[in-house]
């Protein structure tokens, strides 16, 4: 049985509809990541699940119970906020034990559980401090501690790492992944605009765009078989390249002067958009696609090539091994891996996605 | 660097600190002069005051005025009456301001902004306008010459300023804190008492001090609503203290100073909050 069910959820703020009908089932113990550009409605969706925001239409179920109009505190869930939302006047221990104290848990029991949680999150030495004496990462751990101590059925994370610097973000990401492994049966719903977080943490990713779900799937499903150019462009970094092309037959596509044989037939015909990820482009003497190297970004282990092709205005990005020696301005021969080529209807690609 | 400190470059004279200091000093003197006058007259005998001028230094320290004030049972009654009015009215107006302010800041509803403006507009009514209707109202209720009207009027008149201050302060408390508390299982009352109010102690201290001072020092309402000496508050009492044929300047001066002590003590006690409360919200953190 699904633990969290969303049925045709809609949300409007005045005349503006921000969620335009969302259906989703989330299983117990699943780690689901809502991802999408800012303003896509992912945070609003999370706040509606939490009960902090009312739904305009639709039904929310948690554990088989309709909670659409149930107050947030009675939904048995916990939330970690982007701003941590720690109570500044309380110590770390009091922050973590806040919920238990409200529920009139005996003091000894609170202390025992606070210590237990502190041990899990390595906060033991900090229990007497106030939030202002903590670093960003420590604050985030306290916020997580406050949410896990009550053993809620569902955890909600609202961009929990976006206030941290890059190094700490990577570390906390691992800690959250570890936490999910330790708390086996706990369902986690995680909102982020960072696709790396989505890819590394999620059992399933839900891609939101303009108040709708574009695609739901495991990270690898989204990476290998994106349902549309939006998902294709959003998952994977650097983003997928989109190039104008033309179908010659069901299994042949023409790109500029080059004809590529596709391993699978496509139902599309005529003008199409060809999508290829930077990592599936190879610089090779045998390549038939000519491109000029404008700029190189050397990242050490790998190098990103920014190229222009004669048949498209949009720049092309390729990812090659860091050891490859090239000079800017050089004309290169490229080879596209045909197994990794995606064909989309030309009309589906909006300019913003290729930028 | 050595060149700079040796005075190779003449430092230009900046007139502003001196000007500001002078202006502030003159203002301080102007503000304190009446108090010093009262202080001087409170340690002189009535005869000395009648003979000499107000500002002369007393020949000897005469504490008889203070003794007279402290031994006068009417003064005890004035103090008690003032406390009976001031403490509950301060408490009531602040409490109502907290509740209304919290609602306006954190629980907005349709039309709440308009209602907030209406409440605030109450601040701009001169009390004289409602004086006669209020007198007639309380008279018809049989409350004239009791302390009730003073308590009620001060509570009511305090609501706009209390609501304004608390609402503006509560607005600076991040919404995420309220939401986090709610998800932890708190109801709105617990959010207010366990999260928002503890964070608002500076604002609360400032407000309570202002209200206390204003109600304690009030002269108009007790004058209108009370008639017998048993119901007078301290400020009206000072005037009443003059004798039948003479004005007891010395005794009045002594009582004036004693009467202003409670507000001074309250201010001194809360002054650390005062500075904090007034600059609060100016910078984050």
């Amino acid at each position: 049985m699904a633990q969290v069910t969303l049925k045709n959820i809609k949300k409007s703020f005045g005349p503006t509809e921000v969620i335009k009908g969302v259906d989703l089932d989330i299983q117990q113990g699943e780690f689901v990541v809502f991802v999408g550009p800012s303003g896509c409605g992912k945070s609003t969706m999370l706040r509606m699940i939490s009960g902090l925001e009312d739904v305009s239409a639709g039904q929310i179920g948690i554990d088989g119970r309709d909670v659409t109009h149930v107050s947030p505190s009675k939904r048995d869930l916990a939330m970690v906020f982007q701003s941590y939302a720690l109570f500044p006047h309380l110590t770390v221990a009091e922050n973590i034990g806040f919920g238990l104290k409200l529920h009139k848990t005996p003091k000894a029991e609170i202390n025992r559980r606070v210590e237990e949680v502190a041990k899990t999150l390595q906060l033991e030495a900090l229990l007497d401090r106030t939030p202002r004496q903590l670093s960003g990462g420590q604050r985030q751990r306290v916020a997580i501690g406050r949410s896990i101590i009550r053993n809620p059925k569902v955890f909600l994370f609202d961009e929990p790492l976006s206030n941290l610097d890059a190094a700490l973000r990577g570390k906390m990401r691992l800690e959250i992944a570890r936490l999910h492994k330790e708390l086996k049966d706990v369902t986690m719903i995680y909102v982020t605009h960072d696709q790396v977080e989505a890819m590394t943490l999620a059992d399933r990713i839900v891609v939101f765009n303009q108040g709708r779900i574009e695609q739901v799937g495991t990270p690898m499903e989204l990476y290998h078989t994106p349902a549309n150019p939006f998902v294709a462009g959003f998952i994977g970094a650097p983003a997928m390249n989109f190039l104008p092309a033309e179908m010659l037959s069901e299994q042949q596509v023409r790109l500029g002067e080059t004809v590529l044989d596709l391993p699978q037939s496509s139902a599309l015909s005529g003008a199409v958009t060809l999508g290829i990820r930077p990592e599936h482009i190879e610089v090779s003497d045998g390549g038939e696609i000519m491109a000029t190297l404008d700029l190189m970004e050397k990242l050490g282990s790998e190098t990103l090539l920014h190229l222009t092709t004669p048949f498209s205005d949009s720049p092309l990005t390729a990812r090659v091994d860091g050891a490859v020696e090239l000079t800017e301005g050089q004309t290169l021969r490229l080879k596209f891996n045909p197994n990794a080529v995606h064909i989309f209807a030309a009309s589906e690609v909006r300019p913003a996605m290729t930028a | 660097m050595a060149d700079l400190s040796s005075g190779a470059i003449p430092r230009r004279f900046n007139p502003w600190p001196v000007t500001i200091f002078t202006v502030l000093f003159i203002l301080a003197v102007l503000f304190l002069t009446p108090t010093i006058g009262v202080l001087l007259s409170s340690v002189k005998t009535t005869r000395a005051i009648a003979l000499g001028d107000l500002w002369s230094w007393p020949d000897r320290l005469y504490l008889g005025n203070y003794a007279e004030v402290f031994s006068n049972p009417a003064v005890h009654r004035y103090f008690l009456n003032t406390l009976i009015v001031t403490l509950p009215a301060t408490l009531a107006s602040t409490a109502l301001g907290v509740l209304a302010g919290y609602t306006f800041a954190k629980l907005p509803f349709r039309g709440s902004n308009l209602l907030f403006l209406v409440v605030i507009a109450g601040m701009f009514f001169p009390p004289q306008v409602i004086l006669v209707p209020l007198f007639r109202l309380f008279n018809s209720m049989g409350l004239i010459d009791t302390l009730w009207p003073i308590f009620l009027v001060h509570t009511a008149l305090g609501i706009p300023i209390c609501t304004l201050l608390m609402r503006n302060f509560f607005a600076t408390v991040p919404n995420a804190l309220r939401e986090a508390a709610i998800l932890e299982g708190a109801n709105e009352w617990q959010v207010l008492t366990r999260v928002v109010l503890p964070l608002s102690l500076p604002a609360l201290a400032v407000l309570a001090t202002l209200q206390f001072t204003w109600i304690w020092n009030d002269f108009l309402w007790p004058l209108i609503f009370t008639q017998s000496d048993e119901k007078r508050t301290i400020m009206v009492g000072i005037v009443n203290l003059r004798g039948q044929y003479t004005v007891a300047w010395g005794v009045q001066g002594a009582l004036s100073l004693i009467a202003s002590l409670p507000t001074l003590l309250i201010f001194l006690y809360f002054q650390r909050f005062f500075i904090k409360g007034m600059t609060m919200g100016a910078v984050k953190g």
Side-chain angles (χ1 to χ4, degrees):
Chain A
M1 186 184 63
Q3 178 134 48
V4 179
T5 50
L6 308 176
K7 275 189 203 147
N8 197 23
I9 304 290
K10 288 180 181 167
K11 175 72 183 176
S12 307
F13 291 110
T16 326
E17 198 174 34
V18 291
I19 301 281
K20 299 163 184 168
V22 163
D23 291 277
L24 186 67
D25 283 342
I26 297 170
Q27 306 300 325
Q28 184 172 3
E30 227 183 344
F31 197 128
V32 170
V33 175
F34 291 178
V35 75
S38 43
C40 68
K42 57 190 190 298
S43 273
T44 308
M45 194 61 245
L46 192 78
R47 290 172 58 83
M48 285 195 286
I49 297 172
S50 76
L52 292 172
E53 205 78 65
D54 293 330
V55 299
S56 301
Q59 206 182 42
I60 298 175
I62 294 178
D63 239 10
R65 185 167 68 116
D66 180 3
V67 297
T68 316
H69 302 292
V70 172
S71 72
S73 57
K74 301 213 162 60
R75 295 189 183 193
D76 199 10
L77 36 78
M79 185 154 164
V80 175
F81 292 80
Q82 181 179 355
S83 60
Y84 321 126
L86 299 179
F87 307 122
H89 58 297
L90 302 179
T91 64
V92 168
E94 287 167 335
N95 263 288
I96 295 175
F98 186 82
L100 294 181
K101 199 173 169 195
L102 283 181
H103 289 97
K104 303 218 160 59
T105 313
K107 217 168 184 177
E109 166 86 0
I110 297 180
N111 290 342
R112 189 182 60 76
R113 280 166 71 178
V114 166
E115 269 165 40
E116 212 176 276
V117 167
K119 209 168 169 186
T120 316
L121 294 167
Q122 293 151 20
L123 288 167
E124 292 141 301
L126 307 172
L127 284 176
D128 293 328
R129 297 207 191 160
T130 56
R132 84 180 63 211
Q133 295 168 297
L134 304 180
S135 69
Q138 290 168 335
R139 286 179 199 188
Q140 194 52 271
R141 286 215 294 272
V142 176
I144 291 172
R146 185 174 63 187
S147 61
I148 63 176
I149 195 167
R150 286 184 297 117
N151 301 322
K153 291 196 187 93
V154 182
F155 273 106
L156 308 176
F157 291 90
D158 190 5
E159 308 212 14
L161 305 185
S162 51
N163 280 4
L164 304 177
D165 62 57
L168 203 52
R169 207 180 304 153
K171 201 170 149 235
M172 287 303 294
R173 205 169 61 211
L174 277 178
E175 282 191 34
I176 290 176
R178 190 171 303 135
L179 193 72
H180 181 237
K181 228 172 228 168
E182 279 170 25
L183 312 168
K184 276 184 199 75
D185 287 338
V186 173
T187 310
M188 292 189 172
I189 306 177
Y190 188 106
V191 165
T192 182
H193 59 261
D194 181 347
Q195 57 101 13
V196 178
E197 275 171 35
M199 291 294 284
T200 51
L201 288 172
D203 293 327
R204 273 198 305 162
I205 297 178
V206 181
V207 182
F208 277 81
N209 184 33
Q210 298 181 346
R212 285 200 175 81
I213 292 180
E214 293 277 354
Q215 191 175 359
V216 183
T218 65
M220 286 332 250
E221 274 168 15
L222 297 194
Y223 180 80
H224 288 301
T225 53
N228 54 46
F230 180 84
V231 177
F234 200 83
I235 300 293
M240 184 184 276
N241 298 294
F242 294 103
L243 300 164
E246 193 190 346
M247 293 304 290
L248 297 179
S249 69
E250 280 187 358
Q251 286 195 308
Q252 273 194 324
V253 62
R254 188 172 65 82
L255 188 68
E257 303 301 311
T258 318
V259 176
L260 294 174
D261 290 321
L262 301 175
Q264 283 155 350
S265 54
S266 166
L268 297 167
S269 60
V272 292
T273 298
L274 182 148
I276 180 123
R277 298 195 182 278
E279 49 272 39
H280 299 140
I281 300 176
E282 202 185 323
V283 178
S284 150
D285 292 338
E288 292 175 332
I289 300 159
M290 309 293 282
T292 314
L293 178 57
D294 289 335
L295 201 71
M296 279 192 293
E297 284 183 285
K298 295 190 175 179
L299 304 175
S301 66
E302 59 191 31
T303 300
L304 298 182
L305 309 179
H306 298 276
L307 308 142
T308 41
T309 50
F311 49 86
S312 168
D313 295 335
S314 349
L316 187 68
T317 310
R319 174 190 270 169
V320 296
D321 193 274
V324 175
E325 289 290 334
L326 297 166
T327 47
E328 289 173 3
Q330 191 181 353
T331 303
L332 301 175
R333 290 179 164 274
L334 306 178
K335 201 169 159 185
F336 287 8
N337 177 354
N339 293 316
V341 163
H342 302 267
I343 302 294
F344 301 109
S347 57
E348 275 189 301
V349 181
R350 283 149 277 178
M353 294 183 309
T354 56
Chain B
M1 292 309 268
D3 287 339
L4 281 177
S5 57
S6 68
I9 302 167
R11 223 195 305 162
R12 207 182 308 160
F13 175 71
N14 183 356
W16 282 112
V18 179
T19 317
I20 290 168
F21 180 83
T22 315
V23 169
L24 288 179
F25 184 78
I26 293 171
L27 282 179
V29 168
L30 281 176
F31 267 88
L32 281 175
T33 306
T35 314
I36 292 165
V38 173
L39 182 71
L40 285 173
S41 58
S42 76
V43 292
K44 291 177 189 171
T45 61
T46 311
R47 200 178 122 79
I49 295 170
L51 286 177
D53 69 317
L54 181 65
W55 300 104
S56 65
W57 198 253
D59 305 329
R60 64 188 184 88
L61 201 61
Y62 172 69
L63 295 177
N65 295 325
Y66 287 92
E68 202 173 315
V69 165
F70 280 122
S71 62
N72 188 340
V75 171
H76 301 165
R77 190 71 229 174
Y78 299 152
F79 261 97
L80 192 65
N81 287 343
T82 319
L83 268 182
I84 290 174
V85 169
T86 308
L87 286 181
T90 302
L91 217 66
S93 57
T94 317
L96 289 171
V98 163
L99 293 178
Y102 182 76
T103 309
F104 284 126
K106 295 293 175 203
L107 306 168
F109 49 91
R110 192 185 289 268
S112 61
N113 279 338
L114 185 72
L115 189 62
F116 177 62
L117 285 180
V118 171
V119 172
I120 297 310
M123 277 198 306
F124 303 103
F125 276 102
Q128 289 81 352
V129 172
I130 49 171
L131 200 147
V132 173
L134 277 179
F135 183 86
R136 297 179 65 156
L137 174 73
F138 287 124
N139 199 22
S140 69
M141 293 166 77
L143 292 177
I144 292 300
D145 204 26
T146 67
L147 295 174
W148 280 106
I150 311 173
F151 164 74
L152 290 173
V153 165
H154 274 302
T155 303
L157 290 184
I159 289 175
I161 180 73
C162 293
T163 305
L164 174 72
L165 255 164
M166 291 321 292
R167 178 226 178 240
N168 286 354
F169 192 85
F170 289 156
T172 66
V173 176
N175 280 331
L177 291 185
R178 173 177 166 265
E179 292 175 347
I182 284 178
L183 282 172
E184 289 299 307
N187 56 35
E188 218 56 72
W189 175 251
Q190 287 168 321
V191 174
L192 177 65
T193 53
R194 299 201 182 197
V195 178
V196 178
L197 270 188
L199 291 174
S200 310
L201 284 182
L204 213 56
V206 170
L207 188 58
T209 312
L210 287 175
Q211 276 301 101
F212 185 92
T213 310
W214 159 243
I215 300 170
W216 181 274
N217 289 341
D218 181 39
F219 180 75
L220 178 69
W221 297 115
L223 181 72
I224 303 299
F225 294 136
T226 62
Q227 287 156 351
S228 60
D229 209 36
E230 289 75 51
K231 298 293 175 194
R232 293 296 197 193
T233 59
I234 191 86
M235 292 302 153
V236 183
I238 294 175
V239 184
N240 272 25
L241 215 61
R242 61 176 176 224
Q244 199 175 355
Y245 304 108
T246 56
V247 180
W249 292 115
V251 180
Q252 278 192 346
L255 181 54
S256 299
L257 289 178
I258 294 168
S260 47
L261 276 182
T263 55
L264 190 70
L265 289 178
I266 293 241
F267 174 73
L268 287 179
Y269 181 71
F270 283 132
Q271 54 104 8
R272 57 208 162 105
F273 289 120
F274 242 80
I275 304 296
K276 210 172 159 190
M278 284 172 169
T279 58
M280 185 101 32
V283 284
K284 211 177 160 231

